[in-house]
Amino acid sequence: MTVDVLRRPAPADRRARVAVAVLFFTNGALFANLLPRYPQIKADLGIGNAAYGLAVAAFPAGAITAGLAAGILVRRFGSARVAVGGTLLTGAGILAAGLADSVAVFAGALFLAGAMDAFTDVAQNAHGLRVQRRYGRSIINSFHAIWSIGAVTGGSMAAAAIALGVSRGPHLLFSAVVFAVAACVALRYCLPGPETDTGTAVETGETGAGDDAASPERAPATGLRTGWVLAALVLIATAGTLVEDAGMSWATLYLSDSLHATAALAASGYVALVGAQFVGRIVGDRLVDRFGQRTVARSGALIAAVGMGLALAVPTVPGTVLGFAAAGFGVATLVPAAMHEADELPGLKPGSGLTLVSWLMRLGFLLSPPVVGLVADATSLRVGLLVVPFAGLIVLVCGGVLRSRRG
């Protein structure tokens, strides 16, 4: 994606950047408030690991089902409004999931929350790219780092609520209201006007008639090779989502049930993963500039595989928390790297590769919970979590499609 001519951002642009940052923060914090509550919900519903895995897979299923409609909504209502509306409905779905008295209601509420989260995700990234073009330089990674801060904040809020004995209803209602208010305030400072620029069309997967012509910066089509590279990039992005899902769906449960950590301490596994992921995103741009995407991705994959592998081989609470931290740090740059490379592939319309990777990588979130749950029921959750080192191996094998250091 190209950017407009460099210029000093106007005050309105700077306010819009803060507003988008708030949207990313609330998006990260909302769902993270629910995750540490999963063991309590599982126990209250009286379900096994396989049923639990299928139920929590409803969230990514909702996201996959609704994801391709996000571009239409952004085009019609504007990215800022869709992002805020999605935030409000995501909070409502999460509250309903926390209060569910049956597996069907729990899964249905997660499906709704996942669908709304997909709308928010596309819309806030689209608006972030609008602001980025006003700045004339890359700032999108900073938004994703702020998402990680939001996730750590949400997980910490949940851990505190559990430690204080606050029940799920008041806790999740407070979270939904606070972040709904924050999103509505942010809407006031977002950029006005329609979603008409090229970058927004790329981010939402919408393309215009002018896209039929090949971009002068793109190489001619390479046919089968482009397809293989795109498939490898999907695997790399999916590997990143597999690790993220391991932290979201299973870290708290593994620490509490398998390692007998207290409820409040068990939440630290997920917090450690997203906290380390934030650090990885903060330093990721500099590392990529110095060593190249390929080296950074493969090094991170090795850190994730070895760190989590050791934690599973010698299971202790501190070691497992560090293992999840290593996993989060290791995969921090994978999804942005895969998206960027997909957007540069020759022979594809601008945005086509990015859209496919963005949509297909959600299969990791969809397939991982039931697969890990089935393995856990057949053996143990410790064995099921070998999905994290396995994801690292996928990146080590497929990482050659990423770019090496330039110049």
Side-chain angles (χ1 to χ4, degrees):
M1 181 187 71
T2 59
V3 296
D4 295 334
V5 179
L6 292 174
R7 65 179 181 83
R8 185 178 182 84
D13 301 333
R14 292 195 292 269
R15 289 193 294 269
R17 180 178 183 179
V18 173
V20 174
V22 170
L23 293 177
F24 271 83
F25 180 89
T26 59
N27 184 247
L30 269 174
F31 192 49
N33 266 277
L34 177 65
L35 294 175
R37 295 288 193 171
Y38 273 179
Q40 296 174 338
I41 296 173
K42 179 176 179 289
D44 289 347
L45 295 178
I47 56 178
N49 287 323
Y52 167 79
L54 289 171
V56 298
F59 187 92
I64 291 174
T65 302
L68 293 180
I72 299 172
L73 293 176
V74 166
R75 184 178 59 188
R76 179 165 184 176
F77 299 106
S79 55
R81 290 179 179 176
V82 173
V84 173
T87 297
L88 302 182
L89 293 174
T90 299
I94 288 171
L95 176 60
L99 297 176
D101 58 0
S102 70
V103 178
V105 173
F106 178 58
L110 286 180
F111 186 91
L112 169 66
M116 297 304 104
D117 181 75
F119 293 158
T120 301
D121 184 40
V122 170
Q124 68 187 8
N125 274 285
H127 208 78
L129 288 173
R130 285 188 65 191
V131 176
Q132 176 172 279
R133 284 188 290 277
R134 297 288 190 98
Y135 269 69
R137 56 185 172 85
S138 178
I139 59 173
I140 196 68
N141 288 325
S142 68
F143 294 137
H144 287 271
I146 290 169
W147 183 96
S148 297
I149 296 177
V152 171
T153 301
S156 300
M157 287 172 62
I162 293 170
L164 294 173
V166 180
S167 61
R168 293 197 298 271
H171 160 220
L172 295 175
L173 177 61
F174 173 80
S175 168
V177 171
V178 167
F179 296 121
V181 170
C184 289
V185 172
L187 177 61
R188 181 178 180 182
Y189 299 100
C190 289
L191 297 175
E195 311 291 319
T196 55
D197 53 78
T198 303
T200 299
V202 167
E203 189 63 18
T204 58
E206 302 290 317
T207 55
D211 293 333
D212 290 335
S215 169
E217 290 97 1
R218 293 175 179 266
T222 54
L224 187 59
R225 172 173 168 76
T226 296
W228 281 113
V229 171
L230 184 60
L233 293 174
V234 169
L235 287 175
I236 290 171
T238 302
T241 64
L242 287 174
V243 175
E244 290 183 25
D245 179 75
M248 289 192 300
S249 299
W250 300 104
T252 303
L253 196 65
Y254 177 65
L255 283 163
S256 63
D257 287 4
S258 301
L259 301 184
H260 310 294
T262 64
L265 183 58
S268 62
Y270 173 69
V271 172
L273 185 143
V274 293
Q277 189 179 53
F278 163 74
V279 175
R281 286 169 172 169
I282 288 294
V283 303
D285 287 332
R286 293 181 181 180
L287 292 176
V288 167
D289 286 342
R290 183 168 183 178
F291 301 108
Q293 291 278 20
R294 184 185 305 168
T295 299
V296 172
R298 282 179 162 169
S299 299
L302 187 62
I303 291 172
V306 172
M308 197 63 195
L310 289 175
L312 294 172
V314 186
T316 64
V317 172
T320 300
V321 172
L322 290 175
F324 278 110
F329 182 84
V331 303
T333 65
L334 293 186
V335 171
M339 288 182 172
H340 177 264
E341 295 290 339
D343 203 38
E344 299 288 328
L345 278 177
L348 298 177
K349 296 179 182 179
S352 297
L354 174 60
T355 300
L356 286 171
V357 169
S358 300
W359 189 61
L360 290 175
M361 76 176 187
R362 292 184 180 272
L363 290 175
F365 288 117
L366 177 64
L367 299 177
S368 177
V371 170
V372 173
L374 289 170
V375 173
D377 276 350
T379 55
S380 68
L381 184 51
R382 180 182 171 193
V383 175
L385 285 174
L386 287 173
V387 67
V388 176
F390 176 71
L393 294 178
I394 290 176
V395 178
L396 288 173
V397 172
C398 299
V401 301
L402 299 173
R403 296 181 187 181
S404 58
R405 183 184 175 187
R406 292 180 178 179

